[in-house]
Amino acid sequence: MVQREIPVASVYPDSEMSPRYRKTLIRLLADQARAELYAAHIYSKWVRKAPGPEEKMRVAELAYEETEHWYRTVKLLEELGIPADQVKAHAGHDW
């Protein structure tokens, strides 16, 4: 078993964090939101291309799951004080 140097911890909106840590956390979450939404769009485009009803349902489920991941990430950002309409502005510009 691996010994951790730093114990497992959770971060809450009112947790103490340096400005640099907070900025990095927000950027990470904003990038994650962008990736989840992108994946949802890709999967949703494939629903009509799937060959049969079962395959269409599976791809639609994947699109839904990715959309749910995006939504949860946006909600985490809102808890950190970032409104949903400003998430994109906090994402990185290097991808």
Side-chain angles (χ1 to χ4, degrees):
M1 183 149 86
V2 176
Q3 181 76 24
R4 292 179 167 269
E5 281 185 44
I6 301 171
V8 176
S10 297
V11 176
Y12 299 95
D14 60 348
S15 295
E16 281 190 44
M17 56 183 100
S18 70
R20 181 177 179 191
Y21 182 89
R22 180 179 169 75
K23 182 179 178 181
T24 302
L25 176 62
I26 289 170
R27 181 176 177 184
L28 176 71
L29 288 170
D31 284 346
Q32 186 65 34
R34 177 201 265 175
E36 299 294 355
L37 190 58
Y38 182 77
H41 285 243
I42 294 298
Y43 283 126
S44 65
K45 289 179 184 179
W46 279 92
V47 172
R48 69 176 184 270
K49 297 177 183 180
E54 288 79 16
E55 293 87 357
K56 287 181 188 305
M57 283 299 295
R58 181 61 189 132
V59 177
E61 288 170 2
L62 290 171
Y64 173 81
E65 289 171 7
E66 297 301 327
T67 303
E68 189 173 2
H69 297 160
W70 165 79
Y71 178 78
R72 289 180 180 188
T73 306
V74 168
K75 289 301 177 186
L76 287 172
L77 284 160
E78 285 179 345
E79 288 183 30
L80 291 168
I82 307 301
D85 64 347
Q86 293 184 17
V87 169
K88 189 175 181 179
H90 291 276
H93 304 287
D94 50 343
W95 67 281

